[in-house]
Amino acid sequence: HGHRSGGIIQCIKRGDTASVQIHLQEFNKQVMLLHTDYFKWSHVLVFGNMTVVLCWQYTQCFFFDKEERNRRKVSLVLPLSLRSLRILSRDKRVLAPLVTDSALLTLAKLAGLTSGETKEELSDPDLNFYDNIIVKEAMKVLCNVVYNSTWAQERFSTLGLISGLTQLVSVSASASPPSSVQFYELRLMFLMTALRREPHEIFLIQILCLEVQWKDQYECVLDPAAPLISLDASQRAVEILKILFNITYRTHRQEPKEEDAAQYRHLVAILRLCLMRKCVLTEDTDELQGHTINLLSALPLLCLDVLLQAPLAPGSEQLNGVNMDCVHNLLLFMERRLEQGEKVKEKLTPIINLLTESCRAHRETRKYLRNQILPPLRDVSQRPEDGSTVKSRLVRLMTHLDTDVKHCAADLIFVLCKENVRRFVKYTGYGNAAGLLATRGLLGGQCTPSSSITAHFSSDSDSDTEEYRQVKDRINPVTGRVEAQQPDPMEGMTEEEKEEEAKRLIMLFSKLSREDIIQPMGVNSEGRLVPMAGLKGNSITEEGHSDSENECEEEK
């Protein structure tokens, strides 16, 4: 491979276009095969920097005068040179020639980001066949360079290329059919909004329309006979959703201005369509819905009411006359993610958090989801976390090792219970509920102190079923199920023996506490866990330690 790289370099130096074309084709093929093999790839990189420099010099030949360009037949070699640069630019060690202002500006011209002679040159009849190939390869090189170099990110912004990219994407939005380069324009925009957090207006909404018709200001026509979303269209939509998320997530908790709220609601109407329509491939539908949910979670909550405002249609899910089709699809999406059980934090927390916030903001959503996830209890013979229902899967997540996962799962069930501690423990068991209750200072059983939140909840009843009432007194509050009756361990003991056993246990706990093996905890007046030593009326005192020390040792 060293010999082959050296041959390319010599051909480039000589200006032997025909040989360069042949060598570059073979070089690109071999390097792509070796990229996964670290040792062989490192060997190629010995020549990598020199190859980048000389390929770059050859790429710049595109800007020679027309006669010179035709003589060298750059139209044939330029795509190959860019392809070599694209492959090599994946490695940070050979980026130096590509992160200069001159290199970035030249790539930007090739990609159509700047105005000038490039567009005219690319429209020459002789180069027409290579037009899209050149632009696409240049855009790919820019994506790699921007991703791998913070310096390139800064210069890209300073040189004003972000404005050219914004204009280019806006123009591409009105093109029909969309250009094959549009996906890479969006990918570059995503990288800049993610890595540099560049401020932008929400100018991409029109691309997300997916050729739909508007029935009202905040309502898209959902045609059941509409064709499935194509692979290209779904890929473009996903990139746009990612860009919009980068732009909007920082304002999630802020109350939008009136004109911004109207724009957000317009966007939510389109996102509702993304949730309701399907793609050609099932996995594309799942990906499109996943990124739609990510964006919905970044938008102001008050604008999400658009999801419920669609009129009812035959077969619609509904609650009290309110359309629940969108909420139903969100629930189905969460069920699929729960069943998959993969990358729980990345894939599950966005949808669970979105449903939780939606339940707090919209009563109809909470009522519908409560009926679906927490139906009235009838069978309490098994633990709440056992089984394959949505509720049992969520309860299992409440004891997950990842703090964010267990808190978001517990929050959803807690909100579905209208943040009522008794009801929450009833559905999950005290053992599963203890984590959230401790975090919120609710271990004492009192209701949540946030009256502003509880004001959102309706006063619907929580009447127990006849089956539940019959076994209610035999339910273990810790496990949340009816336990087999256990024999009394103190049966047959006299009152004096019971008292002695209690004292012995107290002194054992006291000794373990003093030696920092355990730390006894209790619940204070605010409902939070605190060390027992800090509680009034603490029964474990230092009194009598010396009298019982030897006795405890003998028992041991």
Side-chain angles (χ1 to χ4, degrees):
H1 296 288
H3 175 73
R4 184 177 293 113
S5 300
I8 295 173
I9 293 170
Q10 293 304 318
C11 290
I12 294 176
K13 286 182 175 180
R14 292 197 307 268
D16 185 351
T17 303
S19 297
V20 169
Q21 184 177 355
I22 295 171
H23 280 297
L24 279 180
Q25 285 175 335
E26 184 63 19
F27 178 79
N28 292 343
K29 178 181 177 181
Q30 293 299 324
V31 171
M32 284 295 290
L33 293 175
L34 292 176
H35 198 277
T36 56
D37 189 321
Y38 174 78
F39 297 103
K40 294 179 181 179
W41 174 244
S42 298
H43 184 64
V44 171
L45 285 175
V46 172
F47 299 89
N49 204 292
M50 180 62 71
T51 306
V52 168
V53 172
L54 294 175
C55 281
W56 176 245
Q57 290 175 351
Y58 211 79
T59 299
Q60 289 180 310
C61 291
F62 182 75
F63 297 99
F64 292 173
D65 60 87
K66 187 172 182 179
E67 181 179 351
E68 178 71 9
R69 191 170 62 255
N70 286 339
R71 185 179 66 81
R72 295 194 178 193
K73 299 181 180 179
V74 176
S75 63
L76 297 174
V77 182
L78 182 59
L80 289 171
S81 299
L82 287 169
R83 194 164 298 154
S84 299
L85 291 174
R86 185 245 299 176
I87 296 169
L88 292 169
S89 63
R90 297 173 184 175
D91 196 293
K92 297 180 180 180
R93 292 170 289 181
V94 296
L95 282 181
L98 297 177
V99 295
T100 64
D101 287 359
S102 173
L104 290 173
L105 287 171
T106 304
L107 283 171
K109 284 185 178 182
L110 289 170
L113 300 186
T114 59
S115 58
E117 59 181 0
T118 307
K119 279 294 182 182
E120 296 176 1
E121 291 175 352
L122 285 176
S123 62
D124 281 354
D126 294 339
L127 301 178
N128 220 11
F129 179 75
Y130 298 94
D131 188 342
N132 279 345
I133 298 176
I134 292 171
V135 174
K136 191 182 298 183
E137 289 297 331
M139 195 69 72
K140 290 177 182 179
V141 176
L142 276 175
C143 287
N144 285 349
V145 172
V146 165
Y147 178 74
N148 284 314
S149 171
T150 54
W151 173 254
Q153 296 160 21
E154 181 180 336
R155 298 310 299 165
F156 193 93
S157 181
T158 304
L159 292 171
L161 300 180
I162 190 68
S163 299
L165 178 60
T166 301
Q167 183 179 3
L168 188 63
V169 171
S170 299
V171 171
S172 298
S174 58
S176 182
S179 167
S180 62
V181 184
Q182 189 183 77
F183 174 81
Y184 299 101
E185 297 169 357
L186 295 172
R187 174 57 59 87
L188 184 57
M189 179 66 77
F190 165 71
L191 290 172
M192 289 305 299
T193 55
L195 298 172
R196 289 284 297 175
R197 298 186 177 180
E198 298 284 348
H200 300 285
E201 296 296 327
I202 305 179
F203 59 88
L204 299 166
I205 293 179
Q206 52 186 317
I207 312 178
L208 270 173
C209 291
L210 300 175
E211 301 179 1
V212 300
Q213 297 178 344
W214 288 91
K215 185 176 181 180
D216 201 350
Q217 183 181 9
Y218 302 134
E219 183 186 350
C220 299
V221 175
L222 182 60
D223 183 6
L228 299 176
I229 300 174
S230 68
L231 175 61
D232 290 341
S234 66
Q235 286 181 336
R236 289 195 302 272
V238 164
E239 290 300 314
I240 296 168
L241 291 171
K242 288 155 61 177
I243 295 169
L244 290 174
F245 177 84
N246 291 339
I247 296 171
T248 59
Y249 84 98
R250 292 187 295 274
T251 61
H252 172 52
R253 296 297 180 182
Q254 301 175 10
E255 186 170 344
K257 299 177 183 178
E258 185 176 347
E259 59 271 19
D260 291 336
Q263 193 175 28
Y264 283 134
R265 284 192 165 92
H266 187 77
L267 174 58
V268 172
I270 300 173
L271 296 181
R272 183 181 187 278
L273 201 67
C274 293
L275 288 174
M276 300 301 296
R277 288 189 56 183
K278 296 185 181 300
C279 302
V280 173
L281 300 177
T282 303
E283 53 267 31
D284 289 340
T285 302
D286 188 76
E287 184 180 18
L288 179 62
Q289 290 183 347
H291 288 289
T292 300
I293 288 165
N294 290 343
L295 180 54
L296 284 170
S297 66
L299 298 178
L301 283 171
L302 61 87
C303 299
L304 300 188
D305 56 357
V306 174
L307 298 177
L308 309 178
Q309 291 177 357
L312 292 174
S316 289
E317 294 284 332
Q318 63 92 24
L319 178 72
N320 299 332
V322 178
N323 191 312
M324 288 287 135
D325 286 338
C326 195
V327 176
H328 182 69
N329 274 14
L330 290 174
L331 176 61
L332 294 178
F333 181 87
M334 184 181 71
E335 288 183 20
R336 291 196 300 271
R337 289 291 169 92
L338 284 169
E339 290 173 0
Q340 291 168 0
E342 301 173 354
K343 298 181 180 179
V344 175
K345 185 171 183 176
E346 294 83 356
K347 292 191 173 184
L348 259 176
T349 52
I351 177 61
I352 295 177
N353 286 332
L354 174 63
L355 290 179
T356 302
E357 295 297 327
S358 298
C359 286
R360 283 199 175 100
H362 307 112
R363 293 179 179 179
E364 293 81 5
T365 299
R366 185 196 63 81
K367 288 182 179 180
Y368 180 82
L369 290 177
R370 186 189 164 205
N371 291 338
Q372 300 295 318
I373 298 174
L374 297 181
L377 281 176
R378 299 184 186 279
D379 181 12
V380 285
S381 62
Q382 61 179 3
R383 294 173 181 264
E385 64 268 29
D386 293 339
S388 58
T389 64
V390 176
K391 185 198 82 170
S392 62
R393 294 179 189 273
L394 287 172
V395 173
R396 284 201 291 274
L397 290 180
M398 289 170 59
T399 53
H400 196 275
L401 292 176
D402 189 284
T403 303
D404 292 337
V405 172
K406 70 178 183 181
H407 282 173
C408 79
D411 279 344
L412 175 57
I413 296 183
F414 194 48
V415 169
L416 293 178
C417 293
K418 296 192 292 187
E419 301 196 1
N420 180 285
V421 175
R422 183 197 65 80
R423 190 175 302 161
F424 182 55
V425 172
K426 166 186 169 183
Y427 278 99
T428 66
Y430 195 83
N432 294 315
L436 179 137
L437 299 180
T439 301
R440 297 201 178 192
L442 301 174
L443 284 171
Q446 65 270 36
C447 293
T448 176
S450 177
S451 57
S452 62
I453 294 178
T454 55
H456 287 286
F457 297 138
S458 61
S459 58
D460 57 298
S461 62
D462 185 45
S463 57
D464 295 332
T465 63
E466 182 63 30
E467 295 90 335
Y468 180 81
R469 283 197 297 267
Q470 290 178 358
V471 297
K472 184 177 180 179
D473 295 337
R474 296 192 289 117
I475 294 176
N476 184 329
V478 175
T479 62
R481 71 168 182 179
V482 175
E483 303 282 359
Q485 194 167 2
Q486 301 293 325
D488 184 357
M490 292 191 176
E491 185 177 358
M493 295 176 64
T494 65
E495 291 301 320
E496 291 78 9
E497 288 173 335
K498 293 179 182 178
E499 186 175 348
E500 288 299 321
E501 182 65 17
K503 289 180 179 179
R504 188 180 72 84
L505 291 174
I506 289 175
M507 299 317 301
L508 285 173
F509 275 110
S510 180
K511 184 175 185 300
L512 293 172
S513 177
R514 289 197 313 276
E515 295 177 357
D516 291 329
I517 297 174
I518 65 169
Q519 185 180 36
M521 306 289 286
V523 180
N524 64 9
S525 59
E526 297 179 352
R528 298 189 180 276
L529 277 176
V530 296
M532 289 286 287
L535 292 175
K536 294 182 179 180
N538 179 16
S539 60
I540 301 181
T541 66
E542 297 296 323
E543 183 180 354
H545 286 166
S546 58
D547 295 337
S548 305
E549 191 79 23
N550 293 334
E551 181 180 348
C552 289
E553 290 295 333
E554 290 174 2
E555 287 290 337
K556 182 178 178 181

